[in-house]
Amino acid sequence: MLNWKTKEKIIKNILLFFAFSSILFLTGIIIVLFKEGAPIFSKVGILEFLFTSDWYPTYDPPGYGIFNLLSGSIVVTIGAMVIAVPFGVASAIHIAYILPKKFKNIVKPTIEMLAGVPSVIYGLFGMKILGPFLREVFGLPTGLTALNAMIMLGIMALPTIVSLAEDAITAVPQNFRDASLALGANRLETMFRVILPTASSGIVTAVILGMGRAIGETMTVLMVAGGASLFPSNILKPVRPMTATIAAEMGEAPVGSEHYQALFGIAIILFLITLIFNIFADFAQQRFKKKVSGE
Amino acid sequence: MSEIKMEVKNLDFYYDDFQALKNINIPLESNKVTALIGPSGCGKSTFLRTLNRMNDLIEGSRVEGEVLFDNENIYKENVDVVELRKRVGMVFQQPNPFPKSIFDNVAYGPRIHGLKDKDKLEEIVIESLKGAALYEEVKDRLDDSALGLSGGQQQRLCIARALAVKPEVLLMDEPASALDPVATAKIEDLIDELKNNYTIVIVTHSMQQAARVSDNTGFFLMGDLVEFDQTDKIFENPSDQRTEDYITGRFG
């Protein structure tokens, strides 16, 4: 029979293992990514890989320049943010400050539910409803374009932005609001001069995490972005973001081939971008916490 | 009795169905300090917040009766609440400077009310900081964050911020309860100074503080104003048994 001290020790270690397992998974993913993808950088050269735009992995001689794919991802993400940030922040303000409590408890969960809709459903919507609509309106050969992807990703990033921005605004101490109102400021002045400036770094976190959601999204862009590896000079033309490229081509790339390595190379770039987003988001979050706790 | 600045008549206050204030009648004299004492939850803070209509923000709250301010009922229809709050300033229990610079904190009110001229703003900020006995301590770091100040300094900054909109009445909700004795003494000296120019109403849980700083005192108990009189009278010879029990520490 084990005594309680030994039992406690065993339980502690089991919990420790679970706690560390996610770090273990992350490390594993990084190792695999770099092991499979890094060779392409030495073969093609990292600058060539990033900044040339011939993506012909199956030609002879092949081209492994991802510039069009990279800029496709970036342009679509920026477009999504242009749509999602004004909508998201405005709804967050409304939910946090104007909506009576009883409605807030309905509206916020509803918006958050948007995050739970499978991305293939967004893809279907973009493909079969928004696509034909854009084609009609702009007189295009196809509605599957960068614009379509921007709109869909914008909608998909909304719940993240609304939910986190609303949390940030609500986290601004009531104190500040009272102080401002007691000085004779109206609600609008209080919102724009005290509450939003205080919540700003929290809102920045919300936007960065929304961007992370948009740039990493795969299924929807695969379905609605059109898939042509063109430079995104016109948002009414198809693009081929990095995620869609990996998803579409990995099945046909022989394991260990240059093409296979190049797709892993793209994954490394994507991973680094989202890593940077997360670091920035974390940094902004720290700043926000400091601000509202008054240190 | 000197001139009456604000006069509260038959005031009732409700949070939904709960009546928090019952038929309150208090005259607030000009350039005097009126202290409101009573145990926690007796309604003294709620009462204070009816004087600048800060309770308007609470969903489901309701006011009946009158608060006359220079003979105008502030609960009359069409009263400009922004204008009212300019004239009736407030200092809160927890020092609550904005996460902005010392200068911007004090300049906040005047800016909101449309003052843009830099020299004029600076003049008001300095004057207000001097009025709150803080200027000498912060004059070299007006652009530093207000959050770097000590608790007592932050509270005096909040007083300066309130003074900057040039109010006539200053409401203080336990302004020293979060401060140490030294900072408290400074605030009390300041209150004594301020009453030359302002009508002051202070809520306090400290009876000694009420005795030290106020001219008149009201004693609240469970939403009733049990007794209101000159501070000396309340502390030396109260008319109501409950007041006597409270100030001699038999409860509360």
Side-chain angles (χ1 to χ4, degrees):
Chain A
M1 197 59 194
L2 295 168
N3 69 18
W4 65 272
K5 264 191 174 169
T6 328
K7 271 190 206 162
E8 199 154 276
K9 218 170 178 183
I10 292 171
I11 292 171
K12 218 168 146 186
N13 282 319
I14 291 174
L15 290 177
L16 185 76
F17 169 76
F18 284 119
F20 271 92
S21 60
S22 51
I23 297 178
L24 222 67
F25 291 136
L26 184 66
T27 322
I29 288 172
I30 294 172
I31 291 171
V32 171
L33 275 186
F34 278 85
K35 185 175 153 286
E36 303 290 338
I40 197 72
F41 297 141
S42 46
K43 273 180 207 161
V44 184
I46 183 131
L47 291 179
E48 293 277 301
F49 185 72
L50 286 177
F51 298 112
T52 60
S53 44
D54 292 327
W55 178 255
Y56 300 124
T58 52
Y59 281 32
D60 192 23
Y64 297 113
I66 67 163
F67 188 65
N68 285 347
L69 317 178
L70 179 64
S71 41
S73 280
I74 292 171
V75 165
V76 166
T77 302
I78 291 172
M81 289 304 113
V82 168
I83 295 165
V85 171
F87 273 94
V89 175
S91 353
I93 291 173
H94 187 86
I95 293 170
Y97 259 81
I98 299 166
L99 214 58
K101 268 222 176 73
K102 53 186 172 186
F103 291 118
K104 175 177 167 173
N105 294 339
I106 302 169
V107 173
K108 204 181 174 200
T110 309
I111 291 177
E112 282 164 353
M113 226 183 281
L114 274 178
V117 176
S119 55
V120 69
I121 293 177
Y122 285 100
L124 275 180
F125 181 85
M127 221 172 176
K128 295 300 171 194
I129 314 284
L130 185 60
F133 175 76
L134 292 176
R135 193 183 61 212
E136 287 291 313
V137 171
F138 294 103
L140 305 171
T142 169
L144 303 180
T145 57
L147 180 63
N148 192 326
M150 287 171 181
I151 295 172
M152 294 318 298
L153 290 183
I155 296 171
M156 293 176 78
L158 260 183
T160 309
I161 295 178
V162 173
S163 181
L164 293 173
E166 200 271 336
D167 289 345
I169 292 169
T170 311
V172 174
Q174 182 93 13
N175 270 339
F176 292 166
R177 187 185 74 158
D178 286 355
S180 172
L181 293 171
L183 287 164
N186 61 35
R187 275 157 60 108
L188 199 69
E189 287 161 342
T190 302
M191 173 53 69
F192 282 100
R193 297 202 189 202
V194 175
I195 292 166
L196 286 184
T198 309
S200 61
S201 34
I203 294 172
V204 168
T205 307
V207 171
I208 296 173
L209 291 177
M211 278 170 79
R213 172 102 171 90
I215 203 162
E217 175 49 41
T218 306
M219 182 49 78
T220 309
V221 291
L222 187 63
M223 292 168 79
V224 307
S229 78
L230 300 168
F231 181 75
S233 53
N234 182 344
I235 60 169
L236 296 176
K237 285 189 173 165
V239 289
R240 187 183 184 88
M242 294 189 288
T243 49
T245 311
I246 299 173
E249 298 178 15
M250 194 48 103
E252 291 144 32
V255 175
S257 67
E258 276 186 4
H259 187 192
Y260 174 91
Q261 291 171 348
L263 293 176
F264 267 95
I266 296 175
I268 291 173
I269 304 297
L270 197 59
F271 175 77
L272 291 178
I273 291 174
T274 48
L275 184 71
I276 291 168
F277 280 177
N278 278 301
I279 291 170
F280 272 112
D282 204 52
F283 180 72
Q285 188 67 22
Q286 298 299 334
R287 264 186 59 129
F288 175 63
K289 277 191 183 151
K290 246 184 170 168
K291 231 176 181 175
V292 294
S293 69
E295 277 162 33
Chain B
M1 235 186 201
S2 63
E3 193 189 328
I4 305 294
K5 189 71 190 170
M6 290 183 103
E7 175 142 36
V8 179
K9 284 185 169 171
N10 307 323
L11 187 82
D12 294 316
F13 185 85
Y14 301 85
Y15 293 111
D16 292 315
D17 294 331
F18 174 71
Q19 186 169 6
L21 294 173
K22 298 165 195 161
N23 195 28
I24 307 296
N25 290 280
I26 293 187
L28 300 168
E29 289 179 81
S30 285
N31 299 92
K32 290 276 165 68
V33 177
T34 303
L36 309 173
I37 59 170
S40 302
C42 66
K44 56 192 193 298
S45 286
T46 301
F47 172 74
L48 192 75
R49 295 164 78 96
T50 58
L51 300 177
N52 65 345
R53 294 188 53 173
M54 283 298 278
N55 287 327
D56 288 14
L57 302 166
I58 301 166
E59 275 179 51
S61 70
R62 191 155 53 83
V63 174
E64 281 164 20
E66 288 185 329
V67 176
L68 301 179
F69 179 27
D70 286 345
N71 297 317
E72 290 264 358
N73 182 12
I74 63 170
Y75 283 99
K76 208 175 55 185
E77 251 181 280
N78 305 327
V79 165
D80 182 356
V81 178
V82 165
E83 187 60 29
L84 170 71
R85 292 187 186 141
K86 259 170 84 174
R87 294 174 62 197
V88 182
M90 187 166 210
V91 176
F92 296 82
Q93 184 170 358
Q94 281 293 330
N96 57 355
F98 301 128
K100 298 172 185 277
S101 73
I102 293 170
F103 186 96
D104 287 343
N105 261 281
V106 184
Y108 182 82
R111 277 184 179 142
I112 287 286
H113 300 305
L115 185 64
K116 291 208 174 71
D117 185 87
K118 268 197 170 161
D119 297 335
K120 193 93 183 88
L121 268 177
E122 200 174 320
E123 193 182 302
I124 291 180
V125 169
I126 292 173
E127 188 187 309
S128 307
L129 286 169
K130 281 183 176 161
L134 185 61
Y135 185 64
E136 288 305 317
E137 292 162 56
V138 301
K139 63 182 175 188
D140 300 322
R141 46 176 174 145
L142 293 179
D143 292 328
D144 289 5
S145 168
L147 302 181
L149 298 174
S150 71
Q153 289 173 324
Q154 288 190 4
Q155 194 60 302
R156 278 179 284 147
L157 179 68
C158 293
I159 294 174
R161 185 175 63 186
L163 298 184
V165 283
K166 304 195 185 305
E168 297 157 46
V169 178
L170 204 52
L171 310 176
M172 300 178 136
D173 189 359
E174 304 196 21
S177 69
L179 306 180
D180 63 60
V182 177
T184 300
K186 280 191 177 164
I187 299 279
E188 288 181 7
D189 289 345
L190 181 58
I191 291 171
D192 219 38
E193 191 71 33
L194 289 171
K195 76 173 183 184
N196 296 321
N197 298 313
Y198 305 93
T199 301
I200 296 175
V201 187
I202 178 172
V203 163
T204 175
H205 63 252
S206 151
M207 282 172 284
Q208 292 87 338
Q209 185 167 64
R212 280 193 301 260
V213 302
S214 70
D215 302 292
N216 297 318
T217 296
F219 170 56
F220 281 80
L221 190 62
M222 297 174 70
D224 285 309
L225 178 66
V226 173
E227 189 167 351
F228 177 79
D229 215 321
Q230 293 183 355
T231 300
D232 299 343
K233 170 88 168 47
I234 292 268
F235 281 91
E236 282 158 23
N237 184 22
S239 340
D240 196 291
Q241 185 60 38
R242 289 170 293 173
T243 314
E244 185 167 346
D245 287 349
Y246 182 69
I247 60 174
T248 53
R250 237 167 278 171
F251 74 94

